[in-house]
Amino acid sequence: MTRYIRRAATLCLVMLAALLVNVVRLQLLQAGELRENPANRRPLIARYADPRGDIVVGGRTVTGSKDTRQQLRYERTYHDGPLYAPVTGYSSQLYGTTLLEHTEDETLAGTDPLLAPLPLWNDLTRSRQPGGKIVTTIRASVQRAAYQGLAGRRGAVAALEPSTGRILALVSSPSYDPALLSGNSPAVVAAWRRLNTSPDRPMLNRAIRQTYPPGSAFKIVTAAAALDARIVTDPNAATDARDPYILPGTRTRLPNRAPRCDRASLSYALRYSCNTVMAHLGVRVGLHRMRETAEKFGFNDAGLRIPARVAASTFDREMGPDQLALSSIGQFDTAATPLQMAMVAAAVANGGELVRPYLVDRVTTRGGRTVSAALPRTYQRPMNPVTAQVLQRLMIQAVEKGGGRRAAVPGVRVGGKTGTAQHGVANAGVPYAWFIAWAQQREASRPAIALAVVVEDAEANREDISGGGDAAPIAKVVIEAALKGRGG
């Protein structure tokens, strides 16, 4: 009898050992693989089991959560979805997340360890916290003014505070309602297909993900390089740039749309946008210095994040003198996002110091306890302070006496630069209208806003398109919204 009991006990021990080995194999060796298996819906069910944290603009939440009482219980909702889509992005049960919904996902989903009351709390309790809040730097009134200014036309506006880098507005038009993508119904699939096949590309974030030829708006970069390199010592003195200007090494004549550009001064060339003067100055500055200055403004930086990734603006590192001449007036391969050109205006407005732009002011728990907060950080110093002061004066003249008159705001110092960018094969495409600007109330100690507006209006008459005519009026209403209720 004892022998049979011993055999049964041994068998039980072997089976128990096998069970333990299998548990260890599943829990330690295959846990990750099983967790990532598409057939395992438990992580997905857990992800949508609780309300998601919110994104906040101007003290008001612009996101929410809806209890559907289905297996994937909570769906994302959005307030003023099209207005804030370039900021929030979308959170979809079928198509994942973008923009702040993506970069701040751990906080919004409650899995960020910083949300826990104690270190390692989530690991010890195997729990997660209620979703936290993302408080943005966006000013609702500025965002709405930019959105209404574009009035559904294809284009974008990026605005920031020059002294801190806080992004005040980030608008892309036409936009879309991210709520259309929240759930997992056939309607969501249809909306996804419709949005992705629309010729207007409403899901493209034109403010940070689309680059355009900047045209004459880029001449501010060329002017900064020429002044810093002392190629120009007196902005009011005549230059030796002839009209017409023959591109170096070619027989190609570079035209001007503005009159009296022959030997014009830098001051006149910026006010009336003389191509010949700025192309000539760019060649005299040389490729190395031009590239160095452009990169200090942020060009060729593929790592810029706000925290969402910003498409790299480009200024070629290798090119011939004729190509450099064209690049110096924002043509050839030069391309920039609206945010990049807003950074150019911000550096001038901030005395030559470019502060890194950012979109998240602070992160809090659902109860309001701050777990992290942003601080202004210097990005680069693209020009010396004296050059910045000269450019401020020249940009003010461009608004008061030149092509940027429609951006003028009574009683306010507004500096600006127009741009009309040719593009397409043989420049056959409808030009893009640019306007970059900054503004400061006269009694204020520093500028309140710097911005860039781009309008790509396929419906407009080609001859009517210009930075001063199409983009400057939008800049004006955005500036007015930014200054309203502020001391500066």
Side-chain angles (χ1 to χ4, degrees):
M1 186 64 182
T2 303
R3 184 177 60 184
Y4 293 114
I5 291 175
R6 188 181 303 118
R7 288 178 177 174
T10 302
L11 179 62
C12 288
L13 285 175
V14 170
M15 293 175 65
L16 179 61
L19 180 62
L20 291 174
V21 168
N22 197 41
V23 168
V24 169
R25 180 177 64 85
L26 291 174
Q27 292 288 334
L28 298 182
L29 302 181
Q30 294 187 320
E33 180 184 344
L34 293 172
R35 189 168 48 248
E36 300 299 329
N37 192 314
N40 180 11
R41 286 179 58 83
R42 287 191 175 184
L44 200 60
I45 293 171
R47 176 179 174 82
Y48 295 106
D50 298 303
R52 193 167 167 81
D54 284 321
I55 297 172
V56 179
V57 173
R60 187 174 75 96
T61 60
V62 297
T63 58
S65 295
K66 178 176 68 177
D67 188 353
T68 66
R69 301 196 178 281
Q70 297 178 0
Q71 191 178 51
L72 303 182
R73 185 166 176 177
Y74 284 95
E75 287 182 7
R76 199 56 153 162
T77 61
Y78 296 88
H79 308 296
D80 290 325
L83 174 63
Y84 294 112
V87 177
T88 63
Y90 59 76
S91 175
S92 171
Q93 293 178 353
L94 289 180
Y95 302 111
T97 52
T98 58
L99 299 173
L100 285 185
E101 292 278 26
H102 180 72
T103 61
E104 307 305 304
D105 184 62
E106 284 193 349
T107 297
L108 296 169
T111 57
D112 188 339
L114 291 176
L115 297 175
L118 296 171
L120 302 178
W121 179 267
N122 287 0
D123 294 332
L124 294 173
T125 62
R126 301 183 69 82
S127 65
R128 65 180 186 180
Q129 304 303 311
K133 292 183 178 179
I134 305 300
V135 181
T136 72
T137 58
I138 295 292
R139 282 185 60 192
S141 59
V142 182
Q143 180 83 2
R144 190 172 295 280
Y147 185 76
Q148 293 175 343
L150 285 168
R153 287 182 292 176
R154 285 207 298 262
V157 176
L160 49 85
E161 193 173 64
S163 60
T164 64
R166 294 165 57 90
I167 295 176
L168 305 177
L170 212 58
V171 169
S172 179
S173 177
S175 189
Y176 71 103
D177 189 349
L180 295 172
L181 306 176
S182 292
N184 53 43
S185 67
V188 172
V189 177
W192 175 263
R193 186 179 300 120
R194 185 174 63 253
L195 290 169
N196 278 285
T197 56
S198 169
D200 286 333
R201 305 176 69 191
M203 294 175 65
L204 172 63
N205 190 331
R206 292 176 164 85
I208 62 171
R209 295 281 174 80
Q210 179 67 43
T211 60
Y212 302 87
S216 295
F218 186 83
K219 291 172 181 172
I220 296 299
V221 177
T222 303
L227 288 165
D228 260 8
R230 310 239 352 124
I231 300 296
V232 174
T233 54
D234 180 359
N236 295 312
T239 63
D240 55 354
R242 300 307 304 265
D243 182 9
Y245 177 67
I246 308 299
L247 295 179
T250 75
R251 296 180 178 177
T252 304
R253 296 156 67 108
L254 181 67
N256 282 306
R257 297 185 66 181
R260 299 191 296 277
C261 287
D262 188 52
R263 299 179 187 273
S265 67
L266 175 63
S267 173
Y268 184 92
L270 284 182
R271 195 183 316 158
Y272 297 105
S273 214
C274 296
N275 287 335
T276 50
V277 174
M278 303 310 299
H280 177 66
L281 287 178
V283 172
R284 287 195 61 194
V285 170
L287 175 60
H288 174 73
R289 282 177 173 167
M290 279 297 300
R291 188 194 69 203
E292 185 178 61
T293 302
E295 291 182 347
K296 285 182 177 178
F297 275 105
F299 284 80
N300 297 337
D301 182 355
L304 182 62
R305 292 180 175 274
I306 60 167
R309 181 181 61 83
V310 179
S313 300
T314 55
F315 186 85
D316 279 356
R317 293 187 167 99
E318 295 182 5
M319 50 186 150
D322 55 328
Q323 297 162 336
L324 175 59
L326 293 174
S327 296
S328 301
I329 58 173
Q331 296 183 17
F332 190 53
D333 286 341
T334 305
T337 62
L339 178 63
Q340 170 61 78
M341 295 312 295
M343 291 165 65
V344 170
V348 174
N350 199 41
E353 178 186 5
L354 178 57
V355 183
R356 186 176 290 274
Y358 64 96
L359 186 56
V360 176
D361 183 66
R362 65 185 187 277
V363 176
T364 77
T365 62
R366 178 168 294 181
R369 176 176 62 86
T370 298
V371 297
S372 66
L375 292 173
R377 292 185 296 154
T378 297
Y379 175 75
Q380 287 278 6
R381 296 182 186 276
M383 72 200 93
N384 68 53
V386 175
T387 293
Q389 289 177 6
V390 172
L391 286 178
Q392 287 175 13
R393 190 167 65 250
L394 298 183
M395 290 179 75
I396 290 173
Q397 291 176 358
V399 170
E400 294 180 347
K401 303 176 182 177
R405 288 188 181 91
R406 297 184 68 180
V409 179
V412 177
R413 297 176 73 228
V414 179
K417 180 70 190 80
T418 58
T420 306
Q422 310 287 339
H423 69 100
V425 178
N427 290 332
V430 177
Y432 300 131
W434 279 92
F435 194 74
I436 64 172
W438 53 269
Q440 178 178 2
Q441 289 183 335
R442 295 196 183 279
E443 69 275 16
S445 59
R446 58 185 58 178
I449 185 174
L451 73 158
V453 179
V454 63
V455 179
E456 35 169 316
D457 192 343
E459 302 300 322
N461 184 320
R462 186 184 180 95
E463 295 303 318
D464 291 339
I465 298 173
S466 70
D470 293 79
I474 299 172
K476 178 181 179 180
V477 298
V478 174
I479 289 170
E480 289 174 331
L483 297 179
K484 193 173 183 179
R486 287 176 58 101

